[in-house]
Amino acid sequence: MELSQLVVQTCLDGVVLLRVSNPPVNAISTGVRRALLDAVEQADTDSAIRAIVITGAGKSFMAGADIRELGLPAQPPSLPDLCNRIENCAKPVIAAMHGVALGGGLEIALSCHYRLAAEEVKLGLPEVLLGLMPGAGGTQRLPRLIGVESALALMLSGRHVLAKEALLLGIIDRHVLLGDAAAAGVQYAHELLNAGAGVRRSRDAEGLKDHAAAQAFLDEARNVLAKKSRHLFSPHKIVEAVQSALGMAFSEGLTQERAAFLSCLQSPQCEAFTHAFLAERAVSKAPETPGAPPLPVMAVGIVGGGLMGAGIAVSAIDAGLCVRMVEQDDKAAARGLANVEKVFAGQVSKGRITQAGMDSALKRFSVSTDYQSLKDVDLAIEAVFEDMNVKKMVFERLNLTCKPEAVLATNTSYLDIDEIARTVSRPERVIGLHFFSPANIMPLLEIVVAGKTDAQTVSTAFEFAKKLRKVPVRAGVCDGFIGNRVLAVYRAAADHMMEDGASPYQIDRALRDFGFAMGPYQVADLAGGDIGWATRKRRAANRDPNARYVQIPDRLCERGWFGQKTGRGYYLYPQGSRTGEEDPQVLAIIDEERRRVGIEPKRFTDGEIVRRYLAAMINEGANVVFDGIALRPLDVDVTFLHGYGFPRFRGGPMKYADTIGLGKVLADINEFSVADPLFWKPSALLVDLVGRRAGFATLNNALS
Ligand code: 3HC
Ligand code: NAI
């Protein structure tokens, strides 16, 4: 694009308006930097111009540095140079913000002399969420402007603030309640000129005057980070940079900031976070969507008001939809209603919504035992027991009751959706909507496209996910879809290690140290051991008799030790506590099982545990892509980031595999397969990629 198109200039009565135009979000690309620098220099030297207003065209001010350029060689002018040039202007420069002013966008605004923003604006320095830190003076100017405490809070969380809060904090000078920010910016420029106001530089602001208080906030931030963000790289660099702001001259602070920013930019964490950001945007676009506009969804039917049905209901009510629930009898209906009310009451007690908000939300909800209540719904979601016959019976009823164009969805975790679809007259309307528990909180939604599902049903499901603010991942039909299919394999790898000599506590610890929020045995205790036990019993008849089967989980379930809900599982939970204690009796049961099957326990290092667990996850992830169940490796990554607690700073299992090298993963699998060739079979996709010296990333571009 021509530079003149990237920054459009209009000049009237001595005030020039520079409007950055780089759709969709005015990312600050190399071209934008060049064009803005040229325009600012020209305006600063043009004696006919007395003030400069910088704004954004379209929906936003600027969303920050261009994320797609982050890995590329740097091109001049740099963003810090542009910001310094703006700040050094001899005539007043005003930032007029609307939409979003994030990252480098806010840093440009901070180097302007005055700032105003429309009410709905979102301001923030979200670099930390990309494994980065503000790198264009943000760590030096913001603390000087608003003090260390508030500046650190914004930079370490990446949180957005609205204009009202920004005004209170001192980030902006003016809050535009009505009308266009750009026009208000021009008017502000004239007012400043009329008042004889000159330039006013953020670098001269006095927010760091109380040195001792600022140092105390920095020390406190260091303590918190040591406990809460020990795995992360960039938050520590942010604190160091703010320390420089406190102890050094502005220009030296900028130099320190730049060096720290570059070290973040080159870190594997930045690559992983950026991959996650772009992957999340890629998964939200289904290949079926173009050309198949979604059907409107206003009313949703839910069959089954248990754990999942209630959570799904809350999620849909929260999205402003009308929800009608059907249960099997009056008692179950009353329980379904109570389940939904309980979730809302919990939100009221935590102060997330008001009682009035809860009452008004519940007006959009009704429960019945009569399927006729679903006759007008646009989408019906079945969330009854995980039993094929019960599900088929429910779909037969939905087929008779719902309007013909209604989408019929199942929340099954494992069952064959093609078989379910065969029970209805319009199988093209049947789809899987696999929510995760608790469904009103967990962001992931696997959208399972069955053999006959049509494009409009798929796009309706994706639009529904967007309304519910879920992260949709398109999956195909198989036992467990993407997430639970892969989970079954790495959980088995963990069980093998437990039987071979590692304790569940060591396994959990090693994986937490790797970055998982919880280890697999903590997760099992949280989810409830009975669910997995029922699945194992269901599959027992079809299990390969030669496949290794670890019976330790069954021994715990036989004792009724299902985890948190029964007060003990792998861990002990005395008096309903949620933090488990290690249980010597569990270790004794494990020892007994080892003796029973004749295993002499061996030692595992934490590194070995991580290596085996990840190899199992990556290998099955590759199988899922190879079989066409996941569209691309990035879909597996997003599934694990949003449904299974995979550490975001590692980008997802497939990204992690690319980071350590697929050759290494394959070598690990080949090594493990010597002892158990049936379990450790290298995926054909992995073998092929290693042979071609390619990574999973090469398969990500096909559709994104
Ligand atoms: N660079 C390049 N592209 C960007 C972008 C950016 N900074 N921000 C958003 N986009 C793209 C998205 O990839 C997406 O592209 P697609 O349509 O091809 O998928 C498109 O803009 C729309 O984005 P969303 O789908 O996310 O739209 P939303 O309206 O939901 O959200 C947003 C808009 C709030 C701007 C959100 O995209 C966002 O948070 N972006 C990231 C902002 C950010 O992190 N900025 C800091 C960058 S690092 C930096 O500035 C370093 C500096 O300190 C030196
Ligand atoms: P649940 O046992 O808590 O709830 C099932 C509900 O369905 C009960 O309230 C029951 O009364 C009702 N029901 C049974 N038959 C019915 C019928 N014929 N008509 C109307 N209602 C009927 O089970 P949960 O955990 O909510 O699971 C439901 C579905 O969601 C299952 O398919 C499960 O595999 C799936 N799922 C479960 C997850 C979990 O973590 N529990 C996660 C994701 C999916």
Side-chain angles (χ1 to χ4, degrees):
M1 212 189 277
E2 296 275 320
L3 292 193
S4 59
Q5 289 172 296
L6 288 169
V7 175
V8 179
Q9 305 191 30
T10 37
C11 189
L12 196 65
D13 293 336
V15 175
V16 67
L17 179 67
L18 306 181
R19 207 185 277 270
V20 172
S21 175
N22 185 23
V25 292
N26 296 331
I28 310 164
S29 60
T30 304
V32 166
R33 294 197 302 275
R34 277 190 196 137
L36 192 53
L37 185 70
D38 282 359
V40 166
E41 273 179 345
Q42 213 179 67
D44 199 28
T45 47
D46 182 343
S47 58
I49 290 171
R50 293 186 301 144
I52 303 165
V53 178
I54 299 178
T55 194
K59 284 197 284 189
S60 275
F61 183 70
M62 287 168 241
D66 191 329
I67 291 172
R68 291 172 201 274
E69 287 184 0
L70 284 181
L72 307 177
Q75 300 287 338
S78 71
L79 195 52
D81 286 348
L82 171 62
C83 289
N84 292 339
R85 182 63 188 89
I86 292 171
E87 192 170 54
N88 287 336
C89 276
K91 41 191 87 161
V93 189
I94 295 109
M97 297 176 274
H98 68 294
V100 297
L102 298 174
L106 183 58
E107 289 175 298
I108 286 185
L110 293 173
S111 46
C112 293
H113 307 135
Y114 301 89
R115 285 163 291 282
L116 67 75
E119 191 168 21
E120 88 309 337
V121 78
K122 286 181 188 152
L123 304 175
L125 292 173
E127 286 89 341
V128 72
L129 306 176
L130 293 172
L132 280 172
M133 56 181 278
T139 64
Q140 307 301 299
R141 291 190 177 93
L142 192 63
R144 283 175 163 83
L145 208 56
I146 67 170
V148 164
E149 186 184 19
S150 305
L152 271 182
L154 283 184
M155 291 189 278
L156 292 175
S157 67
R159 143 179 119 79
H160 299 169
V161 295
L162 302 179
K164 204 167 154 196
E165 186 180 353
L167 188 66
L168 284 174
L169 287 171
I171 302 176
I172 59 171
D173 307 290
R174 221 176 240 208
H175 169 189
V176 185
L177 287 173
L178 284 174
D180 171 34
V186 172
Q187 189 192 327
Y188 190 21
H190 285 294
E191 283 175 36
L192 290 166
L193 291 173
N194 291 341
V199 300
R200 191 195 55 169
R201 300 188 167 104
S202 303
R203 67 177 185 227
D204 300 326
E206 299 199 328
L208 299 178
K209 229 171 149 190
D210 187 347
H211 197 282
Q215 188 58 54
F217 288 126
L218 274 162
D219 294 343
E220 174 57 19
R222 280 199 181 89
N223 287 336
V224 173
L225 287 187
K227 282 189 211 121
K228 292 201 171 158
S229 305
R230 67 190 167 108
H231 290 107
L232 299 182
F233 183 71
S234 76
H236 304 273
K237 293 284 170 191
I238 291 174
V239 173
E240 274 175 37
V242 176
Q243 184 72 63
S244 305
L246 192 59
M248 293 179 180
F250 180 73
S251 60
E252 281 176 62
L254 280 185
T255 309
Q256 296 292 326
E257 177 194 77
R258 191 69 189 158
F261 174 79
L262 292 176
S263 69
C264 293
L265 190 60
Q266 281 146 16
S267 71
Q269 290 198 357
C270 174
E271 222 194 287
F273 275 116
T274 309
H275 167 76
F277 176 90
L278 295 173
E280 281 156 4
R281 272 131 197 99
V283 293
S284 67
K285 298 171 186 121
E288 288 86 354
T289 308
L295 293 162
V297 173
M298 305 303 289
V300 177
I302 296 176
V303 187
L307 177 74
M308 294 308 292
I312 298 167
V314 172
S315 189
I317 297 166
D318 277 343
L321 302 172
C322 289
V323 176
R324 290 173 210 147
M325 180 181 275
V326 168
E327 259 290 355
Q328 50 185 344
D329 53 41
D330 289 341
K331 207 169 146 199
R335 211 173 41 229
L337 174 63
N339 286 343
V340 170
E341 284 177 342
K342 195 170 149 204
V343 179
F344 278 112
Q347 292 182 2
V348 172
S349 69
K350 286 184 189 132
R352 293 206 188 122
I353 55 167
T354 59
Q355 182 62 46
M358 167 172 167
D359 296 342
S360 118
L362 286 174
K363 285 199 182 113
R364 293 195 295 279
F365 178 62
S366 61
V367 195
S368 161
T369 54
D370 184 357
Y371 275 78
Q372 278 305 314
S373 66
L374 305 183
K375 68 179 177 6
D376 298 324
V377 299
D378 307 299
L379 163 67
I381 306 170
E382 162 283 307
V384 301
F385 302 136
E386 186 75 344
D387 180 308
M388 183 54 95
N389 289 330
V390 182
K391 303 241 185 232
K392 280 183 174 173
M393 200 257 300
V394 169
F395 270 77
E396 278 163 14
R397 301 288 298 271
L398 293 174
N399 188 44
L400 289 176
T401 331
C402 293
K403 57 188 184 187
E405 67 273 27
V407 170
L408 307 180
T410 170
N411 183 47
T412 179
S413 305
Y414 294 97
L415 299 177
D416 182 351
I417 300 177
D418 289 316
E419 190 177 337
I420 295 175
R422 282 197 281 277
T423 58
V424 303
S425 51
R426 304 192 62 189
E428 63 274 20
R429 284 283 179 243
V430 175
I431 196 160
L433 288 180
H434 184 221
F435 288 82
F436 287 71
S437 173
N440 59 312
I441 309 237
M442 289 292 284
L444 182 63
L445 180 60
E446 276 181 305
I447 296 185
V448 190
V449 179
K452 295 209 166 143
T453 314
D454 68 13
Q456 192 168 42
T457 302
V458 178
S459 34
T460 305
F462 272 79
E463 189 60 27
F464 177 65
K466 193 170 163 191
K467 238 182 204 161
L468 265 54
R469 300 203 192 170
K470 298 290 179 197
V471 179
V473 174
R474 188 190 186 285
V477 175
C478 69
D479 197 348
F481 318 125
I482 300 177
N484 284 346
R485 171 170 158 180
V486 176
L487 162 73
V489 177
Y490 67 77
R491 177 56 207 273
D495 287 351
H496 295 173
M497 289 188 274
M498 174 164 67
E499 196 173 54
D500 285 340
S503 83
Y505 313 120
Q506 187 198 358
I507 294 172
D508 280 352
R509 227 174 4 251
L511 291 161
R512 280 198 307 273
D513 285 347
F514 176 79
F516 282 95
M518 289 174 143
Y521 298 102
Q522 290 175 292
V523 172
D525 274 3
L526 180 68
D530 47 334
I531 297 176
W533 195 28
T535 310
R536 291 196 296 280
K537 284 195 258 186
R538 181 165 50 80
R539 291 180 180 163
N542 300 327
R543 195 177 299 129
D544 179 347
N546 296 317
R548 183 170 176 186
Y549 180 74
V550 176
Q551 295 188 21
I552 297 165
D554 296 344
R555 295 295 91 81
L556 301 195
C557 290
E558 285 155 12
R559 289 169 168 81
W561 298 355
F562 294 144
Q564 289 193 16
K565 63 184 170 190
T566 55
R568 72 190 301 176
Y570 289 93
Y571 294 80
L572 282 168
Y573 302 91
Q575 278 107 42
S577 90
R578 286 185 167 203
T579 35
E581 291 168 10
E582 297 186 8
D583 184 351
Q585 285 193 48
V586 167
L587 295 177
I589 292 168
I590 295 171
D591 269 340
E592 211 177 291
E593 278 299 299
R594 287 176 187 147
R595 274 195 299 276
R596 187 182 63 77
V597 290
I599 286 177
E600 185 61 37
K602 61 174 185 183
R603 279 184 173 281
F604 284 85
T605 64
D606 289 359
E608 280 164 351
I609 290 173
V610 169
R611 213 151 60 90
R612 280 179 182 264
Y613 193 78
L614 267 296
M617 190 182 286
I618 294 161
N619 199 46
E620 193 59 12
N623 283 333
V624 155
V625 176
F626 185 74
D627 293 346
I629 299 301
L631 289 175
R632 302 146 295 203
L634 67 79
D635 298 75
V636 179
D637 284 336
V638 175
T639 302
F640 279 86
L641 291 174
H642 289 285
Y644 296 83
F646 196 94
R648 191 175 175 88
F649 68 87
R650 297 192 191 271
M654 312 314 265
K655 175 70 190 171
Y656 174 72
D658 274 353
T659 311
I660 59 172
L662 297 194
K664 186 176 171 336
V665 179
L666 182 58
D668 280 350
I669 293 169
N670 285 332
E671 180 194 321
F672 306 149
S673 77
V674 174
D676 186 351
L678 198 58
F679 182 78
W680 291 104
K681 273 192 230 137
S683 160
L685 178 63
L686 185 62
V687 173
D688 171 56
L689 288 170
V690 172
R692 293 194 282 117
R693 294 175 180 276
F696 286 125
T698 56
L699 306 176
N700 280 337
N701 300 328
L703 294 157
S704 54

